[in-house]
Amino acid sequence: LFNPYIGLLLLFISLPYFINDKFFRRKIYEFGFIQTEPSRMASRSFGDLRSVRTMFEIAVSNAFPYLDNKYHEFQEWYAKKYLKILRKWAALSNTLGTAEDIVQMFCYILLIKQFVFERVSFGTLTYRFRYIEIFKNSTSGFFQYLNDQYESSIRLREGYEIFSTKPYIKDGNINIKVLAIGPDVTLKDVNFSYPRSEKFIYKNLNLNIKSGE
């Protein structure tokens, strides 16, 4: 008869792989979650460099090197950190995978021993080989599925918490009087230039806009 302890042994050796997979999946998610805002800001810099709308301002303020370096420095840093996590994940996964392969080979040796000394048929031997392979792959797939579902539930919970967040500043209760007509707008001796630029966009601007204009 097929030894049930072989199945228990394969299940036991899969647990470290399950824990490792869960740990690094969580680490990848946390890293991406924490870097959401910096990533968004870097992507915005990249978008400004491609936008016709902001091209004039970038040229006048000489902001191209700043925005370009801001985007590339973040992307290089992000890629290095991300790859570092992936390398650790892959290294430990390969080590645990090797341990699983050794246990699997040990099981194969036990089956070959049964085949030689207990006169088990070749068909039975092939079936048991296949059984071990299917059991091992199914166990790994099941644990990965559990990790995927666990991470998905965490993300749904955090998303729910974000949408359920109450405003930090309460809405005001002062009613502002509605004007019958808009006020006059007056600008007097107004100067404007972009940061890091000595060129004025406009200087000594005087403007008077009457109500209704």
Side-chain angles (χ1 to χ4, degrees), residues 100-111:
E100 286 185 330
D101 292 339
I102 292 174
V103 172
Q104 187 174 357
M105 291 301 299
F106 173 75
C107 295
Y108 286 161
I109 292 173
L110 292 179
L111 293 179

Side-chain angles (χ1 to χ4, degrees), residues 108 111 115 120-133:
Y108 286 161
L111 293 179
F115 174 73
V120 177
S121 67
F122 183 76
T124 302
L125 178 65
T126 305
Y127 165 77
R128 291 177 178 176
F129 274 13
R130 183 61 178 160
Y131 171 85
I132 290 176
E133 182 179 356

Side-chain angles (χ1 to χ4, degrees), residues 30-47 66-67 69-79 81:
E30 288 179 345
F31 176 74
F33 183 79
I34 293 173
Q35 299 304 322
T36 298
E37 183 63 17
S39 179
R40 186 191 65 81
M41 294 176 63
S43 298
R44 182 175 181 179
S45 298
F46 179 70
Y66 170 78
L67 294 175
N69 291 334
K70 181 179 179 181
Y71 174 75
H72 282 93
E73 286 177 359
F74 174 79
Q75 292 298 333
E76 291 177 1
W77 174 85
Y78 186 93
K81 291 290 186 180

Side-chain angles (χ1 to χ4, degrees), residues 11-206:
L11 181 63
F12 178 77
I13 199 63
S14 297
L15 289 177
Y17 182 88
F18 163 72
I19 296 173
N20 174 67
D21 184 74
K22 180 179 179 181
F23 173 79
F24 280 101
R25 282 175 186 265
R26 182 62 180 170
K27 200 171 186 65
I28 286 288
Y29 169 69
E30 288 179 345
F31 176 74
F33 183 79
I34 293 173
Q35 299 304 322
T36 298
E37 183 63 17
S39 179
R40 186 191 65 81
M41 294 176 63
S43 298
R44 182 175 181 179
S45 298
F46 179 70
D48 289 340
L49 293 174
R50 297 188 304 165
S51 174
V52 178
R53 179 179 57 84
T54 57
M55 190 64 66
F56 176 74
E57 296 181 11
I58 292 174
V60 171
S61 61
N62 195 26
F64 182 86
Y66 170 78
L67 294 175
D68 185 62
N69 291 334
K70 181 179 179 181
Y71 174 75
H72 282 93
E73 286 177 359
F74 174 79
Q75 292 298 333
E76 291 177 1
W77 174 85
Y78 186 93
K80 289 180 180 178
K81 291 290 186 180
Y82 192 83
L83 287 175
K84 185 177 180 180
I85 297 174
L86 290 181
R87 289 192 183 101
K88 289 182 178 180
W89 188 1
L92 194 52
S93 295
N94 290 335
T95 301
L96 295 174
T98 301
E100 286 185 330
D101 292 339
I102 292 174
V103 172
Q104 187 174 357
M105 291 301 299
F106 173 75
C107 295
Y108 286 161
I109 292 173
L110 292 179
L111 293 179
I112 293 174
K113 181 180 178 181
Q114 289 181 347
F115 174 73
V116 173
F117 295 101
E118 300 179 15
R119 297 182 180 181
V120 177
S121 67
F122 183 76
T124 302
L125 178 65
T126 305
Y127 165 77
R128 291 177 178 176
F129 274 13
R130 183 61 178 160
Y131 171 85
I132 290 176
E133 182 179 356
I134 292 176
F135 183 83
K136 176 177 173 293
N137 294 336
S138 299
T139 302
S140 299
F142 175 72
F143 284 151
Q144 290 180 4
Y145 174 78
L146 286 180
N147 288 337
D148 286 337
Q149 295 304 310
Y150 178 76
E151 290 300 326
S152 298
S153 65
I154 290 179
R155 297 182 188 186
L156 289 173
R157 183 188 64 190
E158 292 179 348
Y160 174 78
E161 291 176 354
I162 291 175
F163 285 109
S164 301
T165 302
K166 296 182 179 180
Y168 180 74
I169 300 176
K170 295 182 179 180
D171 294 337
N173 55 6
I174 300 176
N175 294 324
I176 299 176
K177 184 179 179 180
V178 179
L179 300 177
I181 58 175
D184 294 347
V185 177
T186 301
L187 302 178
K188 185 177 181 180
D189 297 331
V190 176
N191 302 326
F192 177 77
S193 64
Y194 287 103
R196 299 179 300 278
S197 176
E198 299 179 356
K199 182 179 178 180
F200 283 94
I201 302 302
Y202 44 81
K203 190 173 183 180
N204 297 327
L205 174 65
N206 294 288

